[in-house]
Amino acid sequence: MRLPKGIRWDLSVDEAMRVQTELSKKVIEEDYLPDTIRLVGGADVHQVGPEQMLAVVCVVSLPALTLVEVSKAVTDIVFPYIPGLLAFRELPAVLKAMESLKSDPDVLLCDAHGRAHPRRFGLASHIGVLLDKPSIGCAKSRLYGHAREPEDAPGEWTELTDPRDHTVIGAVVRTQKSSPPLYVSVGHRISLPTAVKFVQDCCKGHRLPEPLRLAHEIARQSVRAPRRLTQERLF
DNA sequence: GCGACAG
DNA sequence: ATCTTGTCGC
């Protein structure tokens, strides 16, 4: 998959926040995606030691949810972890993994927020806009917004709203009984109802949707064995 | 000033 | 994200 060129990552915190505010205007919150979705991607990033990041992208086919491709990439850490600015830390690794991907997923699930963000531009939206690809934010915990707790049954969900203007910015979705809910939000080129439906369709008995569950598991295993990673050692 | 805070 | 054991519940 082709990547945009000339992106600068050596930004100050102020500059990074301004970039988010600007790019957030480009987010499309409508279903601008193929009629039939056959491939769903899932991206997860792990930190490896004090100075490296490992990104794993898994592509799964619908409706069987069978794994069709895995791509990995290692990059040096170029930005600290700051709540709200996660994209500037993880995007270099995710983009590199996306670059070596052979298949072209119809939609990409991200282990992060999309519109459910202080400036309405979390990692899921950032990667969606940069690649002009439908994307969904699917985080394990809350960053921003108010919501009531959904009932304890798979499929139950509540709205996540912006306390400033009461806009709906996401959904809190119970994907498995007795498990903490997922925070689903629009990344890019998709509507919230469609995003919620996709996440639910991709969960086969687990809390996380299959593409993300697999990516997370593969990343965890890759980080386990070697103490230091090289691009070649990943394969 | 104080708390909250994706991974 | 990472550092970390056993343990309780679905």
Side-chain angles (χ1 to χ4, degrees):
Chain A
M1 159 163 244
R2 285 189 43 195
L3 263 56
K5 288 187 173 180
I7 306 176
R8 286 188 51 225
W9 297 111
D10 54 335
L11 304 173
S12 67
V13 168
D14 279 355
E15 290 171 326
M17 294 199 296
R18 278 195 289 273
V19 165
Q20 292 180 325
T21 305
E22 271 318 298
L23 290 181
S24 70
K25 297 169 185 168
K26 298 193 172 188
V27 171
I28 296 174
E29 295 190 82
E30 292 147 36
D31 292 318
Y32 251 65
L33 65 174
D35 293 329
T36 51
I37 304 301
R38 305 191 184 288
L39 298 178
V40 181
D44 191 39
V45 181
H46 277 227
Q47 183 174 328
V48 186
E51 54 192 31
Q52 290 181 308
M53 300 295 273
L54 165 68
V56 175
V57 175
C58 284
V59 179
V60 158
S61 70
L62 287 182
L65 294 178
T66 40
L67 182 62
V68 298
E69 189 183 355
V70 180
S71 92
K72 308 175 186 179
V74 173
T75 58
D76 291 333
I77 292 179
V78 296
F79 204 86
Y81 170 68
I82 298 173
L85 297 179
L86 179 67
F88 295 90
R89 180 178 179 80
E90 299 197 342
L91 265 178
V94 179
L95 289 176
K96 187 173 176 183
M98 289 298 290
E99 187 174 18
S100 60
L101 207 61
K102 292 183 176 181
S103 56
D104 182 33
D106 300 303
V107 56
L108 185 66
L109 290 170
C110 297
D111 182 27
H113 293 283
R115 293 237 99 183
H117 178 278
R119 288 168 292 284
R120 308 271 172 94
F121 202 68
L123 169 62
S125 294
H126 207 141
I127 190 159
V129 168
L130 287 186
L131 300 179
D132 195 30
K133 174 162 289 292
S135 62
I136 298 172
C138 190
K140 297 182 293 298
S141 63
R142 189 195 68 91
L143 169 65
Y144 182 75
H146 286 332
R148 18 171 279 273
E149 178 87 1
E151 299 299 309
D152 189 18
E156 294 289 330
W157 62 277
T158 59
E159 290 180 337
L160 180 66
T161 59
D162 187 328
R164 293 176 305 197
D165 56 11
H166 307 112
T167 303
V168 176
I169 55 174
V172 187
V173 186
R174 186 83 61 188
T175 53
Q176 183 179 55
K177 180 173 170 51
S178 302
S179 294
L182 258 32
Y183 292 76
V184 179
S185 59
V186 170
H188 187 48
R189 285 176 169 265
I190 198 166
S191 67
L192 183 58
T194 305
V196 170
K197 184 188 178 304
F198 259 112
V199 169
Q200 292 173 329
D201 288 349
C202 288
C203 291
K204 56 174 188 185
H206 298 275
R207 176 161 95 118
L208 292 178
E210 208 57 10
L212 287 182
R213 193 183 70 80
L214 291 171
H216 190 279
E217 183 56 27
I218 290 170
R220 200 181 58 78
Q221 287 178 18
S222 305
V223 168
R224 264 318 188 239
R227 194 146 298 261
R228 187 177 185 143
L229 292 179
T230 316
Q231 191 68 25
E232 300 81 61
R233 286 195 67 168
L234 291 172
F235 300 89

